């Protein structure tokens, strides 16, 4: 339905860049699995916190390559880019933690004793593990989407 709204009525072509819509859909899919929550990235009333999470993930991918793979002085002097990377990491952790706690409260309030989602199963083991696995799932899922979208849609 979203893609139908974005089409030009005369030509039938998408007005927006399809690559952006594909990334939004992929981010929504990954977050639904990792956080057990829909963030409505493709809707008109997208969650601002979700957009911030997506931006921080993108910043982490771009900056971590610079600071992990290339020679840098960040070990001796905190550069502005390194500070931005650390802010992005912290923001991802805070937002993910918030969503994991929301899922935990939802899970407890529903009185479920049997877990159905990946996040619910992890919450039964340990909240800390659930948060770490959610962050790992988000980053690995988005990295896969990012890498494959370059191959599919250059």
């Amino acid at each position: 339905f979203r893609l139908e709204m974005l089409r030009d009525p005369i030509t039938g072509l998408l007005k927006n860049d399809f690559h952006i819509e594909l990334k939004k859909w992929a981010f929504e899919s990954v977050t639904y699995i990792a956080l057990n929550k829909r963030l409505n990235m493709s809707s008109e009333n997208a969650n601002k916190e979700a957009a911030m999470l997506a931006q921080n993930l993108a910043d982490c991918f771009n900056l971590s390559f610079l600071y992990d793979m290339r020679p840098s002085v960040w070990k001796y002097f905190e550069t502005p880019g390194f500070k931005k990377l650390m802010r992005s990491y912290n923001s991802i952790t805070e937002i993910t933690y918030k969503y994991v706690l929301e899922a935990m409260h939802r899970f407890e309030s529903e009185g479920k004793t049997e877990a159905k989602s990946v996040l619910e199963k992890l919450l039964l083991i340990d909240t800390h593990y659930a948060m770490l696995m959610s962050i790992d799932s988000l980053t690995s899922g988005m990295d896969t989407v990012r890498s494959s979208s370059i191959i599919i849609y250059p």
Side-chain angles (χ1 to χ4, degrees):
F1 182 70
R2 168 100 173 132
L3 293 179
E4 290 295 326
M5 290 177 19
L6 296 175
R7 283 184 164 190
D8 185 309
I10 297 169
T11 63
L13 299 175
L14 289 176
K15 297 177 204 172
N16 293 354
D17 187 6
F18 180 65
H19 193 241
I20 293 169
E21 295 303 317
L22 185 63
K23 283 184 177 182
K24 285 181 184 179
W25 172 81
F27 183 68
E28 184 74 33
S29 300
V30 169
T31 55
Y32 186 72
I33 293 168
L35 300 173
N36 203 25
K37 180 179 178 78
R38 297 235 15 224
L39 300 179
N40 300 320
M41 287 295 292
S42 293
S43 70
E44 299 301 320
N45 55 355
N47 184 340
K48 289 180 183 178
E49 202 168 50
M52 192 166 65
L53 179 62
Q55 183 59 52
N56 283 316
L57 282 165
D59 289 344
C60 277
F61 289 130
N62 295 331
L63 293 170
S64 63
F65 175 76
L66 291 174
Y67 289 97
D68 287 341
M69 301 298 180
R70 293 173 40 188
S72 180
V73 297
W74 68 265
K75 294 177 185 175
Y76 311 106
F77 175 73
E78 289 188 8
T79 62
F82 180 75
K83 289 178 182 177
K84 183 178 181 182
L85 176 63
M86 292 298 106
R87 282 192 307 272
S88 294
Y89 279 140
N90 289 336
S91 180
I92 290 168
T93 302
E94 289 170 9
I95 294 169
T96 304
Y97 188 66
K98 177 187 172 210
Y99 287 141
V100 168
L101 286 179
E102 282 178 14
M104 184 176 71
H105 293 305
R106 246 189 348 264
F107 184 61
E108 289 173 351
S109 68
E110 292 172 359
K112 291 183 179 178
T113 56
E114 186 177 318
K116 293 188 178 184
S117 71
V118 174
L119 183 59
E120 289 173 352
K121 289 177 183 177
L122 289 169
L123 284 169
L124 289 175
I125 298 169
D126 185 32
T127 307
H128 186 70
Y129 288 147
M131 189 186 79
L132 291 174
M133 289 302 295
S134 294
I135 291 172
D136 190 46
S137 298
L138 285 171
T139 54
S140 62
M142 290 311 297
D143 189 38
T144 302
V145 166
R146 186 177 152 146
S147 299
S148 63
S149 65
I150 291 169
I151 295 168
I152 295 171
Y153 194 76

